[in-house]
Amino acid sequence: MVSKDSKMVSQEANPYLRPPSMSTGQSLKTFIYNRETGAFMGRTASSWGKIGLFYLLFYGVLAGMVAICFWGFFQTLDPRIPRWQLERSIIGTNPGLGFRPRPPMENVESTLIWYQGTDSEKYKYWVDSLQTFLKEYITPGSVPGVGANINKCDYNQSPPPGKVCDVDFKNWHPCTKENNYNYHKSAPCIFLKLNKIYGWKPEFYNDTESLPEKMPVDLKEHITTLKANSSLQLNTIWVSCEGENPADQENIGPIHYIPRRGFPGYFYPFENSDGYLSPLVAVHFVRPRTGILINVECKAWAKNIKHSRNDKIGAVHFELMID
């Protein structure tokens, strides 16, 4: 009969022999720590040290190479000037038109402005939302660099290089916080803003002979009147708002544009200068019919602005309902 010791001796002498059978628990314990060899998880201390040193050096060198690549990449970027602009950028060359105030976040897909004009609690959200949006326009210094970089501009004087134009909110009456943006009179103000695209320059409709056929008649008349009085003010990105359907056009009532009917051309191009604020147009709905839903579509007009509500470029839609 062959003894147990002789089996172990023959196993050490011939490693190709099948090892002695063990239970699952005993095999797991031996894998975690082998008392005979001093191995932990199948490796001795020296083996773990060697492989640990290898991976430390490997990942250290890899991290260093990645850091050098990132450093070299960021040396080619300008924090103010995007690398890809206009046609080469994802944004493209057609700015979108947005409106404020927006419905609450829980109704993020909604474009409905709905409130009761006789109840201050009902229109409080819309007034507060506008106040939050307009804070940087109303409070000087809330935007970095605005104090040192601000410049008074007009159609005769564009801003110097690196400077930005002032947005004079004092000319927005009755669309002011003190007047609750006229929401309490069931004649609300909606603010329009053109999205910023670096380096984009508008091509103005400043020639009454080339106005598009789809441009509203009242806007065409406004442009014709301005041409007779002041040709420089024709360098404006025009704005129009109207009811989408015949019924909406009857119910929407008179509309005033404050402080003017468009975005002045001297605010463009946008070059990411400190303190830059996009120009705004306050659309004052003077006497909209109450108790009925009114579909409103607003458009920005320039020769290089196309209109597509689905693509959210050049036009914006919202609904207005006042109880």
Side-chain angles (χ1 to χ4, degrees), residues 99 102-103 107-113 316-320:
F99 74 95
R102 299 298 302 269
N107 298 323
V108 67
E109 297 296 330
S110 174
T111 54
L112 174 62
I113 299 175
V316 67
H317 162 91
F318 57 89
E319 304 91 35
L320 184 63

Side-chain angles (χ1 to χ4, degrees), residues 14 39 44 56 72 96 123 128 137 162 183 199 235 261 301-302 310 319:
N14 187 359
T44 61
L56 179 64
Y123 61 75
D128 291 346
Y137 289 87
Y183 278 73
N235 294 330
R261 191 165 182 172
W301 295 90
N310 293 333
E319 304 91 35

Side-chain angles (χ1 to χ4, degrees), residues 195-233:
N195 293 347
K196 294 179 286 189
I197 297 180
Y198 187 93
W200 180 78
K201 296 180 180 180
E203 298 174 9
F204 305 109
Y205 281 118
N206 51 14
D207 184 355
T208 55
E209 302 301 323
S210 60
L211 299 180
E213 183 179 351
K214 294 183 178 180
M215 180 180 283
V217 175
D218 64 318
L219 178 53
K220 291 181 179 180
E221 294 174 349
H222 176 76
I223 295 173
T224 302
T225 302
L226 277 181
K227 185 176 182 180
N229 298 327
S230 176
S231 59
L232 287 177
Q233 292 189 33

Side-chain angles (χ1 to χ4, degrees), residues 140-159:
S142 61
V143 176
V146 69
N149 231 23
I150 201 73
N151 196 75
K152 290 290 184 182
C153 306
D154 55 39
Y155 286 96
N156 294 302
Q157 182 178 359
S158 297

Side-chain angles (χ1 to χ4, degrees), residues 1-127:
M1 175 178 266
V2 181
S3 66
K4 183 178 179 182
D5 292 339
S6 62
K7 285 184 178 180
M8 293 182 64
V9 170
S10 62
Q11 174 69 30
E12 292 176 358
N14 187 359
Y16 297 101
L17 291 176
R18 184 177 180 179
S21 61
M22 295 182 183
S23 65
T24 304
Q26 188 177 5
S27 177
L28 180 61
K29 290 179 181 179
T30 303
F31 171 74
I32 294 175
Y33 179 69
N34 192 325
R35 293 183 179 181
E36 295 180 2
T37 62
F40 174 72
M41 301 291 285
R43 291 184 178 275
T44 61
S46 61
S47 178
W48 276 115
K50 291 176 182 179
I51 196 171
L53 180 61
F54 168 77
Y55 279 111
L56 179 64
L57 293 174
F58 175 77
Y59 285 112
V61 172
L62 186 62
M65 293 177 63
V66 171
I68 292 172
C69 290
F70 269 101
W71 178 83
F73 173 73
F74 281 114
Q75 297 307 305
T76 67
L77 298 180
D78 191 304
R80 294 183 181 276
I81 303 175
R83 187 176 184 86
W84 309 111
Q85 302 176 20
L86 301 175
E87 294 87 353
R88 302 175 66 190
S89 69
I90 297 177
I91 299 175
T93 60
N94 207 108
L97 188 65
F99 74 95
R100 295 292 187 279
R102 299 298 302 269
M105 287 301 296
E106 54 266 25
N107 298 323
V108 67
E109 297 296 330
S110 174
T111 54
L112 174 62
I113 299 175
W114 181 17
Y115 72 97
Q116 186 175 353
T118 57
D119 188 345
S120 60
E121 289 300 317
K122 298 295 183 181
Y123 61 75
K124 182 178 185 300
Y125 165 80
W126 305 103
V127 173

